[in-house]
């Protein structure tokens, strides 16, 4: 009992300590980004019961760990932490805005009223943030019930973001008007309390805080596959990509704890999402100038940050500087010596860069390490290990790995794991050859939009391997990938011919393969790039969208088609989908 009493007194003593939680939370995030993962976690954990903002910081660290690993245990810890933060914020925030207005109407002391306004708006933003992260963790399960649950959570979060964003914007406008009046009387001060005790500085930070979630919301919804947009619209979600980017930019320049996170979100969008989903049509260089400008500013602030150096590597890879990218990923790997999750991100990129260069042994070592250590998708990593090992000529080892893939198949509804299992089974049954394993590598590079990062010499090797294939079951893939290789080389005549062969492949049609819709899409993009064939290109894109269904990576292609059609509308508004 004495120990319990002493513990209680110590807890009360800690609660009595006044902390500047906004400044301390930003300090914690900066620690995180400068590789101080342990120190950041300790700081947030120490003060998590004393401040909603510090509680959110601790929960965000848990969420980040879960998202980088996809491990069930860490995802459950993140869910529990986020719910606890939500409870802490909601415990004293019933009827947030109504309470604020009532306090104001009662003409409370100006300064204390301002504290109430800031605190309660901050709590509501944190609750919305927690709900978004809980929804993301729910979506990862890829089950129908999880999608429905996540959708309704997001609907609630969006309403809170939208209301907070509107209210803060109105308060900022009132602040500007009052500052203008004060300026005329020579009494202006940036930190002077405005109406009801709220300062300009506090409002700017709150606007940055809400702009992170508000912008991320707009950005993510704008990327939803078109056939899901009707459901999204029913839930009342918007999806304005430019608004999303503008809000994230505002957040990144604020003094809120989420400013560095907004910067990372922008880098993620420009270097991962844009090139993967082809959200600016077929221009893989889109966004690179923005990403390079961000890195130029931030690497001065975070010179040894494994995450920022990781994104530097992503930019170098997209600029075809594969050797430079490998150097950056290896540097980030070394700097993240205490953070296994970031190490795995770096290993994954090292494996991909090695595949792009057709350095199969290096790629094999990276993916094998991921297969052995990562809990995200050992099945997928095993398949990549096998095709790279087979591509290097070690066919016995590749066969053993392909036998492991089925055993490691855990997430039955995950399309990437389904893909890996099907391909490994096909190779296992036919006894893998070096050429078939290299075909497997080319297929992955194509589907993940990495062929355009390959050097001319690598593309020439791929061309030779593809030309040598004569199995009936491989003809559709052969023509599709030859078309893609010719496109990378700029040989558009040969490209179109090969893609037309792919669209006519009977075996692919019978197997309901992705080959034909992807080939039609590729043809559509080619014709879309020339003014005289724009209408033909548009017609082919609609054909790819509407004439095929139930094939692998259908959602992925629908997003790309949606983006290509949207870019067409921006250039030629008279075209309608």
């Amino acid at each position: 009992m004495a120990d319990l009493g002493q513990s209680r007194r110590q807890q009360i003593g800690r609660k009595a300590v006044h902390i500047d939680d906004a400044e301390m939370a930003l300090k914690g995030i900066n620690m995180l980004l400068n590789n101080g993962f342990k120190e950041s976690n300790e700081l947030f954990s120490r003060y998590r019961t004393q401040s909603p903002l510090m509680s959110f910081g601790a929960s965000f660290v848990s969420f980040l760990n879960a998202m980088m690993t996809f491990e069930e245990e860490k995802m459950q810890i993140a869910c529990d932490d986020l719910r606890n933060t939500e409870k802490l914020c909601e415990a004293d925030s019933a009827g947030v805005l109504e309470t604020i207005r009532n306090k104001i109407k009662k003409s409370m002391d100006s300064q204390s009223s301002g504290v109430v306004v800031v605190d309660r708006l901050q709590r509501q933003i944190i609750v919305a943030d927690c709900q978004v992260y809980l929804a993301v963790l729910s979506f990862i399960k890829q089950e129908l019930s999880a999608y429905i649950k996540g959708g309704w959570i997001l609907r609630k979060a969006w309403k809170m973001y939208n209301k907070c964003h509107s209210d803060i914007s109105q308060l900022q406008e009132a602040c500007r008007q009052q500052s203008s009046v004060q300026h005329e009387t020579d009494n202006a001060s940036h930190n002077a309390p405005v109406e009801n005790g709220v300062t300009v500085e506090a409002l700017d930070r709150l606007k940055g805080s809400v702009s992170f979630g508000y912008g991320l919301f707009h950005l993510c919804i704008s990327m939803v596959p078109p056939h899901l947009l009707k459901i999204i619209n029913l839930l009342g979600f918007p999806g304005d990509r430019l608004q999303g980017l503008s809000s994230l930019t505002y957040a990144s320049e604020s003094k809120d704890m989420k400013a560095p996170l907004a910067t990372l979100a922008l880098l993620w969008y420009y270097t991962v999402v844009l090139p993967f989903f082809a959200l600016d049509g077929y221009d893989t260089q889109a966004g690179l100038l923005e990403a390079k400008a961000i890195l130029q500013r931030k690497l001065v602030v975070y010179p040894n940050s494994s995450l920022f150096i990781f994104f530097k590597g992503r930019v170098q890879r997209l600029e075809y500087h594969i050797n430079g990218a490998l150097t950056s990923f290896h540097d980030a790997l070394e700097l993240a010596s205490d953070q296994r999750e970031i190490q795995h991100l770096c290993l994954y990129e090292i494996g991909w860069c090695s595949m792009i260069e057709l350095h199969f042994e290096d790629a094999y070592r990276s993916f094998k390490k991921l297969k052995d250590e990562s809990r995200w998708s050992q099945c997928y990593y095993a398949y990549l290990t096998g095709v790279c090992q087979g591509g290097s000529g070690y066919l016995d080892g590749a066969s053993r790995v392909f036998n492991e893939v089925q055993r490691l198949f855990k997430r039955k509804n995950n399309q990437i794991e389904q893909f890996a299992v099907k391909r490994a089974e096909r190779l296992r049954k036919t006894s893998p050859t070096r050429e078939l394993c290299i075909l497997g590598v080319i297929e992955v590079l194509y589907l993940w939009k990495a062929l355009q990062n390959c050097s001319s010499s690598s593309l020439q090797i791929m061309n030779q391997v593809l030309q040598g294939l004569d199995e009936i079951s491989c003809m559709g893939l052969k023509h599709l990938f030859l078309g893609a290789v010719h496109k990378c080389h700029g040989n558009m005549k040969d490209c179109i011919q090969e893609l037309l062969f792919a669209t006519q492949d009977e075996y692919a049609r019978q197997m309901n393969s992705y080959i034909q819709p992807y080939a039609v899409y590729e043809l559509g993009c080619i014709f879309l790039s020339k003014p005289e064939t724009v209408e033909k290109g548009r017609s082919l894109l609609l054909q790819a969208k509407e004439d095929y269904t139930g094939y692998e990576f259908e959602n992925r292609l629908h997003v790309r088609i949606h983006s290509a059609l949207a870019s067409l509308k921006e250039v030629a508004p008279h075209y309608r989908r």
Side-chain angles (χ1 to χ4, degrees):
M1 290 296 290
D3 289 341
L4 286 173
Q6 183 178 1
S7 175
R8 179 64 177 162
R9 285 193 298 274
Q10 288 174 343
Q11 190 175 26
I12 293 170
R14 283 198 300 270
K15 287 184 177 180
V17 176
H18 172 73
I19 60 171
D20 184 340
D21 56 356
E23 183 178 332
M24 190 176 290
L26 180 58
K27 178 183 177 182
I29 293 296
N30 282 328
M31 281 180 179
L32 184 75
L33 297 183
N34 275 317
N35 310 316
F37 300 97
K38 182 179 178 182
E39 295 85 348
S40 173
N41 189 47
E42 288 175 353
L43 178 68
F44 284 123
S45 297
R46 189 183 314 136
Y47 294 100
R48 69 183 309 158
T49 60
Q50 299 181 44
S51 156
L53 208 54
M54 295 301 286
S55 177
F56 173 72
S59 297
F60 177 79
V61 173
S62 294
F63 172 76
L64 192 63
N65 277 328
M67 289 302 296
M68 288 193 293
T69 63
F70 291 99
E71 295 175 10
E72 288 290 338
E73 182 182 354
K74 291 190 176 181
M75 286 196 284
Q76 187 57 54
I77 290 172
C79 285
D80 293 342
D81 286 347
L82 288 164
R83 290 192 184 101
N84 288 334
T85 296
E86 203 173 353
K87 288 176 184 176
L88 179 65
C89 291
E90 290 179 332
D92 189 34
S93 60
V96 175
L97 293 176
E98 290 79 3
T99 304
I100 293 171
R101 293 190 184 101
N102 289 337
K103 299 278 187 185
I104 292 171
K105 286 177 182 177
K106 291 177 182 177
S107 299
M108 290 176 57
D109 170 74
S110 179
Q111 192 64 36
S112 62
S113 175
V115 172
V116 170
V117 171
V118 171
D119 179 64
R120 290 177 181 265
L121 279 169
Q122 182 69 78
R123 286 171 183 260
Q124 199 170 38
I125 295 166
I126 290 172
V127 169
D129 286 337
C130 289
Q131 289 170 345
V132 169
Y133 299 152
L134 284 167
V136 170
L137 291 169
S138 183
F139 289 146
I140 288 171
K141 296 177 182 177
Q142 297 193 325
E143 300 168 356
L144 180 60
S145 60
Y147 282 128
I148 295 171
K149 179 183 177 183
W152 283 107
I153 294 173
L154 285 178
R155 184 172 186 269
K156 183 180 176 184
W158 166 248
K159 287 184 174 181
M160 296 176 77
Y161 279 138
N162 202 32
K163 192 72 173 71
C164 285
H165 192 273
S166 175
D167 285 337
I168 293 168
S169 296
Q170 289 176 25
L171 284 169
Q172 283 183 311
E173 181 58 32
C175 168
R176 279 191 288 269
Q177 291 176 4
Q178 185 160 337
S179 293
S180 177
V181 173
Q182 288 178 336
H183 181 71
E184 291 174 5
T185 59
D186 296 324
N187 289 322
S189 172
H190 182 70
N191 288 325
V194 298
E195 188 177 358
N196 302 305
V198 185
T199 65
V200 175
E201 187 178 52
L203 283 177
D204 287 347
R205 187 186 66 76
L206 279 177
K207 183 68 171 289
S209 180
V210 74
S211 291
F212 176 70
Y214 183 80
L216 207 54
F217 218 105
H218 270 287
L219 199 58
C220 290
I221 297 301
S222 73
M223 296 184 290
V224 168
H227 66 281
L228 294 178
L229 283 177
K230 289 183 180 179
I231 299 173
I232 295 297
N233 290 335
L234 282 174
L235 290 170
F237 297 154
D240 186 329
R241 183 156 55 112
L242 294 178
Q243 177 64 62
L245 291 171
S246 173
S247 295
L248 283 173
T249 300
Y250 184 97
S252 72
E253 295 168 354
S254 74
K255 294 183 179 179
D256 186 69
M257 66 173 285
K258 285 177 279 188
L261 306 179
T263 301
L264 290 176
L266 288 167
L267 288 171
W268 162 78
Y269 176 75
Y270 288 132
T271 67
V272 179
V273 176
L274 265 183
F276 182 73
F277 286 112
L279 290 177
D280 279 339
Y282 36 82
D283 180 10
T284 59
Q285 298 301 299
L288 283 181
L289 289 177
E290 288 85 349
K292 289 174 73 173
I294 291 170
L295 286 168
Q296 189 173 7
R297 294 194 306 270
K298 296 302 178 180
L299 280 172
V300 177
V301 184
Y302 305 102
N304 298 313
S305 168
S306 55
L307 281 170
F308 280 101
I309 293 173
F310 169 85
F311 282 114
K312 177 184 176 183
R314 284 288 308 178
V315 168
Q316 290 169 317
R317 174 181 150 182
L318 292 169
E319 289 187 317
Y320 316 127
H321 300 152
I322 303 301
N323 288 335
L326 280 167
T327 299
S328 293
F329 292 133
H330 278 292
D331 288 345
L333 179 69
E334 186 176 345
L335 288 166
S337 58
D338 295 329
Q339 190 64 20
R340 183 167 61 94
E341 293 78 10
I342 295 180
Q343 285 188 322
H344 287 171
L345 283 177
C346 296
L347 278 171
Y348 183 72
E349 288 294 335
I350 290 168
W352 269 89
C353 286
S354 301
M355 276 204 302
I356 286 168
E357 291 287 275
L358 301 186
H359 294 163
F360 295 118
E361 290 190 24
D362 293 340
Y364 154 73
R365 282 193 290 269
S366 292
F367 292 130
K368 184 179 185 302
K369 191 172 179 64
L370 286 168
K371 176 181 78 73
D372 295 339
E373 294 182 3
S374 174
R375 298 179 194 173
W376 171 59
S377 181
Q378 291 175 304
C379 167
Y380 170 57
Y381 291 142
Y383 175 68
L384 293 179
T385 299
V387 291
C388 290
Q389 193 169 15
S392 65
Y394 295 104
L395 298 177
D396 290 341
S399 294
R400 287 193 292 271
V401 176
F402 292 138
N403 287 330
E404 289 184 61
V405 173
Q406 180 65 51
R407 177 178 59 80
L408 297 171
F409 183 33
K410 300 290 175 62
R411 297 184 293 168
K412 308 301 181 184
N413 295 321
N414 184 285
Q415 63 176 356
I416 294 177
E417 293 207 357
Q418 290 171 349
F419 165 81
V421 167
K422 288 179 183 176
R423 296 304 186 275
E425 182 66 11
R426 187 182 301 170
L427 285 166
R428 190 180 65 81
K429 285 183 177 179
T430 59
S431 296
T433 64
R434 185 167 185 263
E435 290 72 25
L436 287 176
C437 287
I438 294 176
L439 176 65
V441 170
I442 296 171
E443 181 177 34
V444 172
L445 290 172
Y446 172 79
L447 288 170
W448 270 255
K449 288 190 74 68
L451 274 182
Q452 46 265 67
N453 299 143
C454 296
S455 65
S456 180
S457 58
S458 293
L459 290 169
Q460 189 59 45
I461 293 170
M462 293 179 201
N463 183 67
Q464 292 171 3
V465 171
L466 291 168
Q467 293 286 3
L469 294 172
D470 54 12
E471 291 90 341
I472 294 296
S473 62
C474 296
M475 286 300 100
L477 290 174
K478 171 182 176 176
H479 292 306
L480 176 63
F481 301 153
L482 277 173
V485 168
H486 285 311
K487 184 178 179 181
C488 292
H489 270 141
N491 304 329
M492 302 315 292
K493 182 179 177 181
D494 291 337
C495 168
I496 291 171
Q497 184 179 29
E498 294 292 349
L499 291 174
L500 286 172
F501 285 147
T503 64
Q504 298 161 9
D505 186 74
E506 184 62 21
Y507 182 84
R509 187 189 65 78
Q510 292 174 0
M511 298 300 292
N512 195 30
S513 166
Y514 68 83
I515 293 170
Q516 290 180 317
Y518 271 73
V520 174
Y521 160 77
E522 295 285 2
L523 284 168
C525 287
I526 291 169
F527 289 121
L528 209 63
S529 64
K530 296 181 179 180
E532 64 271 20
T533 55
V534 165
E535 186 55 43
K536 185 176 182 179
R538 176 180 176 275
S539 177
L540 286 167
L541 289 175
L542 290 174
Q543 180 186 337
K545 176 185 174 184
E546 296 167 1
D547 289 3
Y548 305 93
T549 185
Y551 53 89
E552 292 172 312
F553 303 111
E554 183 176 356
N555 285 349
R556 187 177 295 187
L557 184 61
H558 276 211
V559 172
R560 292 173 184 173
I561 293 170
H562 175 66
S563 172
L565 290 170
S567 67
L568 172 63
K569 286 171 67 177
E570 290 174 8
V571 175
H574 61 281
Y575 283 111
R576 289 290 179 265
R577 289 168 54 191

